[in-house]
Amino acid sequence: MRIGIFGAGSIGCYAGGMLAANSNDVVLVGRASMAARLAGGIELTRHDGMRKSVSAADFTFATEPEALVGCEAILVCVKSPGTAEAARQLASVLKEGTLVASFQNGISNTEILRNGLPQCRVLGAMVPFNVAQIGGNRFHQGTEGGIVVEDRPGALQIATKLNQADVPTMVRRDFEAVQWGKLLMNLNNAVNALSGLPLKAQLSSREHRLVLADCVEEALTALRAAHIRPAKIGKVSPGLIPVILRLPDFLFTRIAGSMLKIDEDARSSMAEDLEQRREPEIDYLNGEIVRLGEEFGVPTPVNSSVVAKVKQRFAERMRA
C-alpha cells in the first residue's frame, strides 16, 4: 500500500517510519527543515526497548502535497489549527475514494476533513501515546497504548497495515466515546506545558494533579449534561480520574503507578509547541470543554483559566 503522511512531525514521522520499516511505500510531507533532519534516515525507539532504523532510501520526503498523488491512504498528522488548511491543500490532490485518517488530537478534526474532502473516505483515529523528537532524526514513543480507528469502510485496511508494522491498532464502533475519553487525558497537555516540568515529574506533584483533577471534573460534569459517556482509555474509568489524581503522593504512586510509566524526559506536545513558538492546540482540547459547558450551562472556570494562561504564554513566547 502506498501511504502518505501529511504533517511530518512527531506522530507523523513515527507512524510513517514504522510503516516504512515494514516495507510499505511511504511518502512524508512536511517542512524543509524536517527533510534536512531526515536526510540520514529515521531512528525509531520505544519505551519497551524496541529500536528500528529506516534509511532515507526507504521513504519519500516532500514539502508539497502533490507528492501524495497516487497514495491509497493518507494519515493526517498536522496540528488541529491547521486542519482546515490541510483539507484545502489535499482537496485537489486526492482522488475519489482515497482513505484519509485523522491522527490528531481533539474532537472536531475528523468532521472538518470530511467537509473539506467529500470525495474521500475520512476516518477518525485516536493516538494515545506520546512521541518525542530526540536529536536530529530519532522519534521515541515514550508512553504505552494502542491506536484506535473509527469503524468505517477502510478502517481494517489501515489497522492491518499498522499492526503489521508493530504499531498496535484496533477498530471500534464507539469512536465518539473514545474521542471524548482521550480528550479527558489530553487535558493534561496544557497543565504540563504550564508547569514547565517533564510529564513524570508533573504528575508526581499533587499540586499540579489538583489542577488537572479540577479540569477533568469540569469536563465530566459538562459531558453528563450533554448526555455523552466517554470511553475508558487506559486502566482507569473516567469517573475515577479526579479521585485518583487528588490522592496524596504516596498513595497516588502506589495506586496509579501505570500513569507514571513515562520516560523521565517526556513532555506533552503542547509544551513542545510553546517552546518552538508554534500555535498550541488549546482551543481543541480544554477549549472544547469550555464550549461544551457554555452550550449546556455548565461553569468551567478552571478550564477557561487554563485556556487563557496558555494563550498568554504563547503570546509572551512570540514577543520574546
mmCIF file of all heavy atoms in Angstrom, residues 93-141:
data_model
loop_
_atom_site.group_PDB
_atom_site.id
_atom_site.type_symbol
_atom_site.label_atom_id
_atom_site.label_comp_id
_atom_site.label_asym_id
_atom_site.label_seq_id
_atom_site.Cartn_x
_atom_site.Cartn_y
_atom_site.Cartn_z
ATOM 1 N N VAL A 93 -5.644 17.151 -4.703
ATOM 2 C CA VAL A 93 -4.606 16.143 -4.895
ATOM 3 C C VAL A 93 -5.154 14.719 -4.816
ATOM 4 O O VAL A 93 -4.750 13.840 -5.578
ATOM 5 C CB VAL A 93 -3.491 16.329 -3.838
ATOM 6 C CG1 VAL A 93 -2.485 15.188 -3.900
ATOM 7 C CG2 VAL A 93 -2.793 17.671 -4.018
ATOM 8 N N LEU A 94 -6.097 14.494 -3.916
ATOM 9 C CA LEU A 94 -6.554 13.138 -3.640
ATOM 10 C C LEU A 94 -7.704 12.734 -4.553
ATOM 11 O O LEU A 94 -8.645 13.501 -4.767
ATOM 12 C CB LEU A 94 -6.994 13.021 -2.179
ATOM 13 C CG LEU A 94 -5.936 13.412 -1.134
ATOM 14 C CD1 LEU A 94 -6.463 13.145 0.269
ATOM 15 C CD2 LEU A 94 -4.631 12.665 -1.372
ATOM 16 N N LYS A 95 -7.628 11.531 -5.063
ATOM 17 C CA LYS A 95 -8.681 11.034 -5.945
ATOM 18 C C LYS A 95 -9.869 10.525 -5.132
ATOM 19 O O LYS A 95 -9.781 10.309 -3.917
ATOM 20 C CB LYS A 95 -8.134 9.917 -6.835
ATOM 21 C CG LYS A 95 -7.704 8.675 -6.070
ATOM 22 C CD LYS A 95 -7.154 7.615 -7.016
ATOM 23 C CE LYS A 95 -6.750 6.362 -6.248
ATOM 24 N NZ LYS A 95 -6.198 5.314 -7.147
ATOM 25 N N GLU A 96 -10.958 10.298 -5.827
ATOM 26 C CA GLU A 96 -12.170 9.824 -5.171
ATOM 27 C C GLU A 96 -11.931 8.454 -4.520
ATOM 28 O O GLU A 96 -11.326 7.561 -5.109
ATOM 29 C CB GLU A 96 -13.310 9.712 -6.194
ATOM 30 C CG GLU A 96 -14.645 9.360 -5.575
ATOM 31 C CD GLU A 96 -15.782 9.414 -6.578
ATOM 32 O OE1 GLU A 96 -15.544 9.900 -7.702
ATOM 33 O OE2 GLU A 96 -16.897 8.987 -6.228
ATOM 34 N N GLY A 97 -12.409 8.329 -3.295
ATOM 35 C CA GLY A 97 -12.302 7.068 -2.581
ATOM 36 C C GLY A 97 -11.039 6.891 -1.765
ATOM 37 O O GLY A 97 -10.885 5.870 -1.072
ATOM 38 N N THR A 98 -10.122 7.859 -1.808
ATOM 39 C CA THR A 98 -8.893 7.746 -1.019
ATOM 40 C C THR A 98 -9.221 7.672 0.467
ATOM 41 O O THR A 98 -10.062 8.430 0.963
ATOM 42 C CB THR A 98 -7.966 8.954 -1.274
ATOM 43 O OG1 THR A 98 -7.663 9.033 -2.662
ATOM 44 C CG2 THR A 98 -6.680 8.830 -0.482
ATOM 45 N N LEU A 99 -8.555 6.781 1.174
ATOM 46 C CA LEU A 99 -8.726 6.685 2.626
ATOM 47 C C LEU A 99 -7.936 7.804 3.296
ATOM 48 O O LEU A 99 -6.759 8.015 2.995
ATOM 49 C CB LEU A 99 -8.199 5.345 3.143
ATOM 50 C CG LEU A 99 -9.104 4.124 2.987
ATOM 51 C CD1 LEU A 99 -8.339 2.862 3.371
ATOM 52 C CD2 LEU A 99 -10.339 4.274 3.863
ATOM 53 N N VAL A 100 -8.593 8.529 4.199
ATOM 54 C CA VAL A 100 -7.942 9.604 4.949
ATOM 55 C C VAL A 100 -8.256 9.392 6.422
ATOM 56 O O VAL A 100 -9.424 9.288 6.802
ATOM 57 C CB VAL A 100 -8.438 10.999 4.503
ATOM 58 C CG1 VAL A 100 -7.816 12.082 5.374
ATOM 59 C CG2 VAL A 100 -8.117 11.232 3.033
ATOM 60 N N ALA A 101 -7.228 9.318 7.266
ATOM 61 C CA ALA A 101 -7.431 9.126 8.702
ATOM 62 C C ALA A 101 -6.840 10.305 9.463
ATOM 63 O O ALA A 101 -5.703 10.705 9.221
ATOM 64 C CB ALA A 101 -6.791 7.819 9.168
ATOM 65 N N SER A 102 -7.620 10.837 10.375
ATOM 66 C CA SER A 102 -7.182 11.972 11.192
ATOM 67 C C SER A 102 -6.434 11.455 12.419
ATOM 68 O O SER A 102 -7.045 11.020 13.380
ATOM 69 C CB SER A 102 -8.396 12.800 11.626
ATOM 70 O OG SER A 102 -8.041 13.720 12.639
ATOM 71 N N PHE A 103 -5.106 11.535 12.381
ATOM 72 C CA PHE A 103 -4.273 11.141 13.528
ATOM 73 C C PHE A 103 -3.992 12.393 14.361
ATOM 74 O O PHE A 103 -2.846 12.801 14.536
ATOM 75 C CB PHE A 103 -2.968 10.507 13.040
ATOM 76 C CG PHE A 103 -3.071 9.038 12.750
ATOM 77 C CD1 PHE A 103 -4.137 8.518 12.033
ATOM 78 C CD2 PHE A 103 -2.103 8.158 13.189
ATOM 79 C CE1 PHE A 103 -4.242 7.164 11.763
ATOM 80 C CE2 PHE A 103 -2.185 6.794 12.930
ATOM 81 C CZ PHE A 103 -3.263 6.301 12.221
ATOM 82 N N GLN A 104 -5.064 12.992 14.884
ATOM 83 C CA GLN A 104 -4.961 14.292 15.537
ATOM 84 C C GLN A 104 -5.680 14.299 16.873
ATOM 85 O O GLN A 104 -6.579 13.491 17.120
ATOM 86 C CB GLN A 104 -5.574 15.373 14.629
ATOM 87 C CG GLN A 104 -4.920 15.504 13.255
ATOM 88 C CD GLN A 104 -5.767 16.334 12.316
ATOM 89 O OE1 GLN A 104 -6.714 15.838 11.707
ATOM 90 N NE2 GLN A 104 -5.442 17.611 12.211
ATOM 91 N N ASN A 105 -5.295 15.254 17.726
ATOM 92 C CA ASN A 105 -5.990 15.440 18.989
ATOM 93 C C ASN A 105 -7.320 16.143 18.772
ATOM 94 O O ASN A 105 -7.569 16.734 17.721
ATOM 95 C CB ASN A 105 -5.130 16.288 19.939
ATOM 96 C CG ASN A 105 -3.921 15.539 20.456
ATOM 97 O OD1 ASN A 105 -3.968 14.331 20.658
ATOM 98 N ND2 ASN A 105 -2.831 16.254 20.695
ATOM 99 N N GLY A 106 -8.172 16.104 19.800
ATOM 100 C CA GLY A 106 -9.415 16.866 19.753
ATOM 101 C C GLY A 106 -10.589 16.088 19.188
ATOM 102 O O GLY A 106 -10.501 14.901 18.872
ATOM 103 N N ILE A 107 -11.698 16.795 19.053
ATOM 104 C CA ILE A 107 -12.974 16.183 18.678
ATOM 105 C C ILE A 107 -13.390 16.522 17.255
ATOM 106 O O ILE A 107 -13.969 15.710 16.549
ATOM 107 C CB ILE A 107 -14.082 16.654 19.644
ATOM 108 C CG1 ILE A 107 -13.724 16.325 21.093
ATOM 109 C CG2 ILE A 107 -15.432 16.049 19.272
ATOM 110 C CD1 ILE A 107 -13.611 14.848 21.399
ATOM 111 N N SER A 108 -13.091 17.725 16.794
ATOM 112 C CA SER A 108 -13.720 18.258 15.577
ATOM 113 C C SER A 108 -12.937 18.040 14.286
ATOM 114 O O SER A 108 -13.456 18.319 13.201
ATOM 115 C CB SER A 108 -13.971 19.763 15.753
ATOM 116 O OG SER A 108 -12.763 20.446 16.045
ATOM 117 N N ASN A 109 -11.696 17.562 14.364
ATOM 118 C CA ASN A 109 -10.864 17.496 13.151
ATOM 119 C C ASN A 109 -11.421 16.564 12.082
ATOM 120 O O ASN A 109 -11.352 16.867 10.884
ATOM 121 C CB ASN A 109 -9.450 17.059 13.526
ATOM 122 C CG ASN A 109 -8.719 18.123 14.314
ATOM 123 O OD1 ASN A 109 -8.577 19.246 13.847
ATOM 124 N ND2 ASN A 109 -8.264 17.784 15.505
ATOM 125 N N THR A 110 -11.966 15.419 12.502
ATOM 126 C CA THR A 110 -12.486 14.467 11.518
ATOM 127 C C THR A 110 -13.601 15.085 10.690
ATOM 128 O O THR A 110 -13.651 14.932 9.457
ATOM 129 C CB THR A 110 -12.997 13.187 12.213
ATOM 130 O OG1 THR A 110 -11.948 12.655 13.030
ATOM 131 C CG2 THR A 110 -13.420 12.147 11.196
ATOM 132 N N GLU A 111 -14.494 15.816 11.352
ATOM 133 C CA GLU A 111 -15.611 16.442 10.639
ATOM 134 C C GLU A 111 -15.116 17.550 9.705
ATOM 135 O O GLU A 111 -15.644 17.730 8.599
ATOM 136 C CB GLU A 111 -16.628 17.005 11.637
ATOM 137 C CG GLU A 111 -18.001 17.253 11.047
ATOM 138 C CD GLU A 111 -18.638 15.983 10.466
ATOM 139 O OE1 GLU A 111 -18.429 14.892 11.024
ATOM 140 O OE2 GLU A 111 -19.350 16.108 9.443
ATOM 141 N N ILE A 112 -14.096 18.289 10.142
ATOM 142 C CA ILE A 112 -13.520 19.332 9.284
ATOM 143 C C ILE A 112 -12.949 18.703 8.008
ATOM 144 O O ILE A 112 -13.141 19.213 6.897
ATOM 145 C CB ILE A 112 -12.423 20.113 10.034
ATOM 146 C CG1 ILE A 112 -13.040 20.923 11.175
ATOM 147 C CG2 ILE A 112 -11.659 21.040 9.087
ATOM 148 C CD1 ILE A 112 -12.021 21.571 12.100
ATOM 149 N N LEU A 113 -12.271 17.572 8.157
ATOM 150 C CA LEU A 113 -11.712 16.881 6.987
ATOM 151 C C LEU A 113 -12.819 16.334 6.091
ATOM 152 O O LEU A 113 -12.717 16.388 4.854
ATOM 153 C CB LEU A 113 -10.786 15.753 7.439
ATOM 154 C CG LEU A 113 -9.458 16.175 8.082
ATOM 155 C CD1 LEU A 113 -8.718 14.961 8.625
ATOM 156 C CD2 LEU A 113 -8.574 16.921 7.070
ATOM 157 N N ARG A 114 -13.884 15.798 6.699
ATOM 158 C CA ARG A 114 -14.995 15.276 5.878
ATOM 159 C C ARG A 114 -15.631 16.397 5.058
ATOM 160 O O ARG A 114 -15.960 16.201 3.888
ATOM 161 C CB ARG A 114 -16.051 14.632 6.780
ATOM 162 C CG ARG A 114 -15.651 13.270 7.290
ATOM 163 C CD ARG A 114 -16.831 12.476 7.837
ATOM 164 N NE ARG A 114 -16.337 11.203 8.338
ATOM 165 C CZ ARG A 114 -16.299 10.845 9.610
ATOM 166 N NH1 ARG A 114 -16.768 11.659 10.531
ATOM 167 N NH2 ARG A 114 -15.813 9.674 9.973
ATOM 168 N N ASN A 115 -15.810 17.542 5.663
ATOM 169 C CA ASN A 115 -16.422 18.665 4.948
ATOM 170 C C ASN A 115 -15.517 19.154 3.823
ATOM 171 O O ASN A 115 -16.001 19.557 2.759
ATOM 172 C CB ASN A 115 -16.717 19.811 5.918
ATOM 173 C CG ASN A 115 -17.841 19.472 6.876
ATOM 174 O OD1 ASN A 115 -18.694 18.629 6.597
ATOM 175 N ND2 ASN A 115 -17.855 20.120 8.039
ATOM 176 N N GLY A 116 -14.217 19.132 4.049
ATOM 177 C CA GLY A 116 -13.283 19.640 3.050
ATOM 178 C C GLY A 116 -12.871 18.629 2.007
ATOM 179 O O GLY A 116 -12.344 19.005 0.953
ATOM 180 N N LEU A 117 -13.104 17.325 2.281
ATOM 181 C CA LEU A 117 -12.703 16.264 1.351
ATOM 182 C C LEU A 117 -13.877 15.322 1.090
ATOM 183 O O LEU A 117 -13.832 14.128 1.405
ATOM 184 C CB LEU A 117 -11.525 15.472 1.944
ATOM 185 C CG LEU A 117 -10.244 16.266 2.225
ATOM 186 C CD1 LEU A 117 -9.267 15.438 3.054
ATOM 187 C CD2 LEU A 117 -9.600 16.724 0.916
ATOM 188 N N PRO A 118 -14.945 15.824 0.494
ATOM 189 C CA PRO A 118 -16.146 15.000 0.308
ATOM 190 C C PRO A 118 -15.921 13.803 -0.605
ATOM 191 O O PRO A 118 -16.692 12.836 -0.575
ATOM 192 C CB PRO A 118 -17.155 15.981 -0.292
ATOM 193 C CG PRO A 118 -16.318 17.048 -0.932
ATOM 194 C CD PRO A 118 -15.118 17.177 -0.052
ATOM 195 N N GLN A 119 -14.866 13.837 -1.437
ATOM 196 C CA GLN A 119 -14.597 12.735 -2.357
ATOM 197 C C GLN A 119 -13.860 11.587 -1.680
ATOM 198 O O GLN A 119 -13.703 10.508 -2.269
ATOM 199 C CB GLN A 119 -13.777 13.233 -3.559
ATOM 200 C CG GLN A 119 -12.279 13.422 -3.301
ATOM 201 C CD GLN A 119 -11.926 14.762 -2.662
ATOM 202 O OE1 GLN A 119 -12.718 15.367 -1.964
ATOM 203 N NE2 GLN A 119 -10.716 15.222 -2.932
ATOM 204 N N CYS A 120 -13.401 11.788 -0.436
ATOM 205 C CA CYS A 120 -12.577 10.794 0.259
ATOM 206 C C CYS A 120 -13.372 10.045 1.327
ATOM 207 O O CYS A 120 -14.434 10.483 1.759
ATOM 208 C CB CYS A 120 -11.374 11.482 0.918
ATOM 209 S SG CYS A 120 -10.248 12.274 -0.253
ATOM 210 N N ARG A 121 -12.829 8.909 1.745
ATOM 211 C CA ARG A 121 -13.385 8.155 2.868
ATOM 212 C C ARG A 121 -12.601 8.558 4.109
ATOM 213 O O ARG A 121 -11.476 8.088 4.319
ATOM 214 C CB ARG A 121 -13.295 6.657 2.612
ATOM 215 C CG ARG A 121 -14.154 6.163 1.453
ATOM 216 C CD ARG A 121 -13.993 4.657 1.272
ATOM 217 N NE ARG A 121 -12.690 4.315 0.727
ATOM 218 C CZ ARG A 121 -12.191 3.086 0.710
ATOM 219 N NH1 ARG A 121 -12.865 2.089 1.260
ATOM 220 N NH2 ARG A 121 -11.002 2.845 0.176
ATOM 221 N N VAL A 122 -13.163 9.432 4.911
ATOM 222 C CA VAL A 122 -12.446 10.009 6.048
ATOM 223 C C VAL A 122 -12.785 9.257 7.334
ATOM 224 O O VAL A 122 -13.956 9.046 7.656
ATOM 225 C CB VAL A 122 -12.774 11.509 6.211
ATOM 226 C CG1 VAL A 122 -12.045 12.080 7.430
ATOM 227 C CG2 VAL A 122 -12.375 12.278 4.950
ATOM 228 N N LEU A 123 -11.753 8.859 8.058
ATOM 229 C CA LEU A 123 -11.902 8.121 9.309
ATOM 230 C C LEU A 123 -11.283 8.907 10.454
ATOM 231 O O LEU A 123 -10.268 9.580 10.283
ATOM 232 C CB LEU A 123 -11.173 6.768 9.225
ATOM 233 C CG LEU A 123 -11.403 5.891 8.006
ATOM 234 C CD1 LEU A 123 -10.405 4.745 8.013
ATOM 235 C CD2 LEU A 123 -12.819 5.357 8.017
ATOM 236 N N GLY A 124 -11.883 8.779 11.624
ATOM 237 C CA GLY A 124 -11.252 9.301 12.821
ATOM 238 C C GLY A 124 -10.260 8.285 13.353
ATOM 239 O O GLY A 124 -10.388 7.089 13.110
ATOM 240 N N ALA A 125 -9.260 8.755 14.064
ATOM 241 C CA ALA A 125 -8.303 7.859 14.719
ATOM 242 C C ALA A 125 -7.834 8.520 16.006
ATOM 243 O O ALA A 125 -7.762 9.753 16.098
ATOM 244 C CB ALA A 125 -7.118 7.548 13.807
ATOM 245 N N MET A 126 -7.546 7.713 16.995
ATOM 246 C CA MET A 126 -7.077 8.211 18.288
ATOM 247 C C MET A 126 -5.701 7.627 18.576
ATOM 248 O O MET A 126 -5.516 6.411 18.573
ATOM 249 C CB MET A 126 -8.070 7.818 19.383
ATOM 250 C CG MET A 126 -7.743 8.407 20.757
ATOM 251 S SD MET A 126 -6.531 7.437 21.701
ATOM 252 C CE MET A 126 -7.494 5.987 22.140
ATOM 253 N N VAL A 127 -4.726 8.511 18.780
ATOM 254 C CA VAL A 127 -3.358 8.091 19.097
ATOM 255 C C VAL A 127 -3.128 8.376 20.579
ATOM 256 O O VAL A 127 -3.056 9.547 20.973
ATOM 257 C CB VAL A 127 -2.323 8.845 18.241
ATOM 258 C CG1 VAL A 127 -0.910 8.376 18.571
ATOM 259 C CG2 VAL A 127 -2.616 8.658 16.764
ATOM 260 N N PRO A 128 -3.009 7.349 21.416
ATOM 261 C CA PRO A 128 -2.930 7.571 22.856
ATOM 262 C C PRO A 128 -1.543 7.850 23.391
ATOM 263 O O PRO A 128 -1.397 8.300 24.526
ATOM 264 C CB PRO A 128 -3.464 6.249 23.428
ATOM 265 C CG PRO A 128 -3.003 5.240 22.447
ATOM 266 C CD PRO A 128 -3.075 5.913 21.090
ATOM 267 N N PHE A 129 -0.509 7.579 22.598
ATOM 268 C CA PHE A 129 0.842 7.655 23.147
ATOM 269 C C PHE A 129 1.557 8.946 22.773
ATOM 270 O O PHE A 129 1.181 9.657 21.849
ATOM 271 C CB PHE A 129 1.674 6.445 22.711
ATOM 272 C CG PHE A 129 1.643 6.148 21.236
ATOM 273 C CD1 PHE A 129 2.359 6.912 20.336
ATOM 274 C CD2 PHE A 129 0.885 5.086 20.752
ATOM 275 C CE1 PHE A 129 2.337 6.633 18.975
ATOM 276 C CE2 PHE A 129 0.852 4.786 19.391
ATOM 277 C CZ PHE A 129 1.585 5.566 18.506
ATOM 278 N N ASN A 130 2.612 9.205 23.525
ATOM 279 C CA ASN A 130 3.445 10.384 23.329
ATOM 280 C C ASN A 130 4.665 10.009 22.498
ATOM 281 O O ASN A 130 5.272 8.959 22.725
ATOM 282 C CB ASN A 130 3.871 10.926 24.704
ATOM 283 C CG ASN A 130 4.951 11.990 24.616
ATOM 284 O OD1 ASN A 130 6.126 11.677 24.538
ATOM 285 N ND2 ASN A 130 4.562 13.242 24.651
ATOM 286 N N VAL A 131 5.013 10.855 21.538
ATOM 287 C CA VAL A 131 6.234 10.652 20.748
ATOM 288 C C VAL A 131 7.110 11.884 20.905
ATOM 289 O O VAL A 131 6.663 13.012 20.682
ATOM 290 C CB VAL A 131 5.927 10.407 19.255
ATOM 291 C CG1 VAL A 131 7.223 10.370 18.442
ATOM 292 C CG2 VAL A 131 5.156 9.105 19.075
ATOM 293 N N ALA A 132 8.351 11.667 21.306
ATOM 294 C CA ALA A 132 9.299 12.762 21.478
ATOM 295 C C ALA A 132 10.336 12.741 20.367
ATOM 296 O O ALA A 132 10.763 11.666 19.920
ATOM 297 C CB ALA A 132 9.992 12.640 22.831
ATOM 298 N N GLN A 133 10.727 13.921 19.916
ATOM 299 C CA GLN A 133 11.809 14.044 18.951
ATOM 300 C C GLN A 133 13.117 14.215 19.717
ATOM 301 O O GLN A 133 13.266 15.156 20.500
ATOM 302 C CB GLN A 133 11.573 15.244 18.035
ATOM 303 C CG GLN A 133 10.289 15.148 17.229
ATOM 304 C CD GLN A 133 10.106 16.319 16.286
ATOM 305 O OE1 GLN A 133 11.066 16.919 15.820
ATOM 306 N NE2 GLN A 133 8.859 16.645 15.988
ATOM 307 N N ILE A 134 14.029 13.287 19.518
ATOM 308 C CA ILE A 134 15.290 13.290 20.260
ATOM 309 C C ILE A 134 16.436 13.399 19.266
ATOM 310 O O ILE A 134 16.579 12.567 18.366
ATOM 311 C CB ILE A 134 15.438 12.009 21.101
ATOM 312 C CG1 ILE A 134 14.254 11.874 22.073
ATOM 313 C CG2 ILE A 134 16.763 12.009 21.859
ATOM 314 C CD1 ILE A 134 14.242 10.588 22.849
ATOM 315 N N GLY A 135 17.238 14.445 19.433
ATOM 316 C CA GLY A 135 18.324 14.654 18.481
ATOM 317 C C GLY A 135 17.764 15.069 17.133
ATOM 318 O O GLY A 135 16.681 15.641 17.032
ATOM 319 N N GLY A 136 18.477 14.751 16.086
ATOM 320 C CA GLY A 136 18.046 15.181 14.763
ATOM 321 C C GLY A 136 16.972 14.333 14.142
ATOM 322 O O GLY A 136 15.995 14.846 13.589
ATOM 323 N N ASN A 137 17.095 12.990 14.234
ATOM 324 C CA ASN A 137 16.188 12.138 13.461
ATOM 325 C C ASN A 137 15.631 10.957 14.258
ATOM 326 O O ASN A 137 15.174 9.989 13.660
ATOM 327 C CB ASN A 137 16.900 11.609 12.212
ATOM 328 C CG ASN A 137 18.021 10.629 12.559
ATOM 329 O OD1 ASN A 137 18.542 10.636 13.668
ATOM 330 N ND2 ASN A 137 18.400 9.804 11.594
ATOM 331 N N ARG A 138 15.665 11.034 15.580
ATOM 332 C CA ARG A 138 15.119 9.943 16.401
ATOM 333 C C ARG A 138 13.747 10.322 16.917
ATOM 334 O O ARG A 138 13.536 11.420 17.431
ATOM 335 C CB ARG A 138 16.056 9.646 17.575
ATOM 336 C CG ARG A 138 15.559 8.514 18.476
ATOM 337 C CD ARG A 138 16.539 8.299 19.622
ATOM 338 N NE ARG A 138 15.936 7.516 20.687
ATOM 339 C CZ ARG A 138 16.343 7.510 21.945
ATOM 340 N NH1 ARG A 138 17.363 8.273 22.306
ATOM 341 N NH2 ARG A 138 15.738 6.779 22.846
ATOM 342 N N PHE A 139 12.813 9.363 16.785
ATOM 343 C CA PHE A 139 11.437 9.561 17.241
ATOM 344 C C PHE A 139 11.116 8.450 18.232
ATOM 345 O O PHE A 139 11.156 7.270 17.889
ATOM 346 C CB PHE A 139 10.481 9.577 16.050
ATOM 347 C CG PHE A 139 10.744 10.726 15.130
ATOM 348 C CD1 PHE A 139 11.710 10.627 14.135
ATOM 349 C CD2 PHE A 139 10.081 11.935 15.290
ATOM 350 C CE1 PHE A 139 12.006 11.701 13.310
ATOM 351 C CE2 PHE A 139 10.368 13.022 14.471
ATOM 352 C CZ PHE A 139 11.335 12.898 13.475
ATOM 353 N N HIS A 140 10.830 8.854 19.465
ATOM 354 C CA HIS A 140 10.726 7.901 20.570
ATOM 355 C C HIS A 140 9.317 7.872 21.145
ATOM 356 O O HIS A 140 8.804 8.898 21.589
ATOM 357 C CB HIS A 140 11.714 8.270 21.674
ATOM 358 C CG HIS A 140 11.644 7.380 22.875
ATOM 359 N ND1 HIS A 140 12.108 6.075 22.854
ATOM 360 C CD2 HIS A 140 11.145 7.591 24.121
ATOM 361 C CE1 HIS A 140 11.913 5.540 24.054
ATOM 362 N NE2 HIS A 140 11.331 6.425 24.836
ATOM 363 N N GLN A 141 8.669 6.696 21.110
ATOM 364 C CA GLN A 141 7.370 6.511 21.755
ATOM 365 C C GLN A 141 7.616 6.304 23.247
ATOM 366 O O GLN A 141 8.099 5.261 23.667
ATOM 367 C CB GLN A 141 6.616 5.307 21.175
ATOM 368 C CG GLN A 141 5.253 5.096 21.825
ATOM 369 C CD GLN A 141 4.551 3.845 21.348
ATOM 370 O OE1 GLN A 141 4.766 3.377 20.249
ATOM 371 N NE2 GLN A 141 3.697 3.289 22.208
#
